[in-house]
Amino acid sequence: MGEGILNLGLQVVSFNTLPQEDHEIFDLVSELEAAEGKGTTFYSWLNVPSTASIPEIAKAYRKMSMQLHPDKNPDEKDIHKRFARLGVVATILRNPESRKRYDFFYKNGVPKWRGTGYYYSRFRPGLGTVLVFLVILTSGLHLIVQKMNYKRDLERIDRIRQQAKTAAWGPKAIPLEGQRKVKVNLSGEESTVNRWIDLVVEGQNVYMLDPSGNMEILDASAATSPSVYSTWFIALIMSLVHKVIPAKNLVSEQSGAMEDDDASSTVESDSGRSSVQEKENGVKISRPPTTMAGGKRRKGAGKKR
């Protein structure tokens, strides 16, 4: 049992520390199966057995390279990629060390988990991707904590309600008519710290008493239910939005007040002009005395010569 776990651990470590050459083999195997069909191997593509010698592999490569040469297949799509892939496959099989690594995966299969280094080098995330991932991860954990707290609060509310009914009705829990005020220890009966609260039991309902004497029902609605909008990131965004929107509303209200003042001033000036016009149409108009420059009144300004 211990040896099996040890071997499994060594395999996991070995997969996480695979050399770069193995990563290239993994990529080439995936590309070859995607282009030539699932199950296609280096040997089957060259049409040689897995025991073929290096001269046989070189001969098969020359024959196939003539068939896949881009000059002979100008209209075939991705012919350049296939031709380049053929050269890489032949290079791997003609090198004893790289062929030994490929033969290992050829016989045992390419692992589904190819090591963290392999996936990181091919799907290397940017800073934005990392930040988005962290936000989603922490928000999800926050939501899970909310659900756990909600479940705990419901259990606590149910326990307090049962204690209040027991204190009001007695051990037999036979409902009594009318309201009954009781005290319940929030810390529980087994706790050494006593935190008493005043409750009122009326029928099947249990109420809490606030300092002003008002009664608030104690049921599942008293617990804060979990919500995506209550997670830290969305709550932060909403708080920022609420801070910006009232500021805009205040500016719009001030602008509206200024417009009202301008409108009232315009109305007053219009009413003043209309009263002057009415006086000129048939009512005596009192004009201010004519003055000279310097503020002195001209003599005989109103006399006829």
Side-chain angles (χ1 to χ4, degrees), residues 243-263:
K243 287 181 180 179
V244 173
I245 291 179
K248 291 184 177 180
N249 291 338
L250 179 61
V251 171
S252 62
E253 289 177 0
Q254 292 177 351
S255 301
M258 293 176 64
E259 292 177 357
D260 293 340
D261 292 340
D262 294 340

Side-chain angles (χ1 to χ4, degrees), residues 186-230:
L186 294 179
S187 302
E189 298 178 354
E190 298 179 357
S191 177
T192 57
V193 180
N194 294 326
R195 295 173 54 194
W196 296 93
I197 184 176
D198 292 328
L199 299 175
V200 174
V201 179
E202 183 179 10
Q204 296 295 332
N205 296 326
V206 178
Y207 300 90
M208 295 183 296
L209 288 176
D210 59 14
S212 61
N214 295 326
M215 296 192 307
E216 297 181 2
I217 191 167
L218 180 63
D219 56 10
S221 62
T224 303
S225 58
S227 172
V228 176
Y229 297 101
S230 299

Side-chain angles (χ1 to χ4, degrees), residues 10-20 22-23 114-117:
L10 291 175
Q11 290 179 3
V12 171
V13 173
S14 63
F15 283 147
N16 286 330
T17 58
L18 290 174
Q20 186 66 27
D22 290 350
H23 295 171
R114 302 178 181 181
T116 54

Side-chain angles (χ1 to χ4, degrees), residues 289-299:
T290 305
T291 57
M292 297 176 61
K296 295 182 179 181
R297 183 175 179 180
R298 292 186 298 177
K299 297 181 179 180

Side-chain angles (χ1 to χ4, degrees), residues 12-231:
V12 171
V13 173
S14 63
F15 283 147
N16 286 330
T17 58
L18 290 174
Q20 186 66 27
E21 292 77 7
D22 290 350
H23 295 171
E24 295 176 356
I25 291 176
F26 297 157
D27 289 338
L28 196 57
V29 169
S30 300
E31 293 173 1
L32 184 62
E33 289 189 347
E36 308 299 333
K38 189 172 180 61
T40 303
T41 66
F42 292 2
Y43 297 113
S44 64
W45 195 33
L46 290 174
N47 196 22
V48 294
S50 60
T51 57
S53 62
I54 293 179
E56 291 175 340
I57 292 174
K59 181 179 179 181
Y61 165 70
R62 287 193 298 268
K63 179 180 179 181
M64 194 165 187
S65 63
M66 294 179 62
Q67 298 176 357
L68 296 180
H69 199 280
D71 293 342
K72 293 186 177 181
N73 303 275
D75 299 330
E76 185 175 345
K77 185 179 179 182
D78 296 333
I79 189 63
H80 292 277
K81 292 182 179 180
R82 295 182 67 195
F83 186 75
R85 190 178 299 119
L86 176 64
V88 177
V89 168
T91 301
I92 291 175
L93 294 182
R94 285 184 294 186
N95 184 288
E97 293 297 327
S98 59
R99 183 177 181 180
K100 182 178 179 181
R101 293 301 302 169
Y102 173 74
D103 286 344
F104 174 81
F105 297 115
Y106 172 76
K107 296 176 182 178
N108 298 281
V110 176
K112 294 182 179 180
W113 173 253
R114 302 178 181 181
T116 54
Y118 173 84
Y119 293 107
Y120 181 79
S121 62
R122 281 144 185 80
F123 309 104
R124 183 174 300 172
L127 179 60
T129 304
V130 173
L131 292 177
V132 170
F133 172 75
L134 291 177
V135 167
I136 295 175
L137 178 62
T138 54
S139 299
L141 293 175
H142 191 187
L143 184 61
I144 293 174
V145 172
Q146 287 184 12
K147 292 182 178 180
M148 294 172 61
N149 291 338
Y150 180 67
K151 182 179 179 180
R152 181 197 61 190
D153 291 341
L154 290 179
E155 294 175 353
R156 188 180 183 188
I157 290 173
D158 185 65
R159 175 175 56 82
I160 293 174
R161 285 172 54 87
Q162 293 299 329
Q163 291 179 0
K165 291 179 180 180
T166 302
W169 300 337
K172 295 183 179 180
I174 299 176
L176 302 176
E177 295 182 359
Q179 296 181 351
R180 291 185 176 272
K181 184 177 180 180
V182 297
K183 285 183 175 292
V184 173
N185 186 6
L186 294 179
S187 302
E189 298 178 354
E190 298 179 357
S191 177
T192 57
V193 180
N194 294 326
R195 295 173 54 194
W196 296 93
I197 184 176
D198 292 328
L199 299 175
V200 174
V201 179
E202 183 179 10
Q204 296 295 332
N205 296 326
V206 178
Y207 300 90
M208 295 183 296
L209 288 176
D210 59 14
S212 61
N214 295 326
M215 296 192 307
E216 297 181 2
I217 191 167
L218 180 63
D219 56 10
S221 62
T224 303
S225 58
S227 172
V228 176
Y229 297 101
S230 299
T231 54

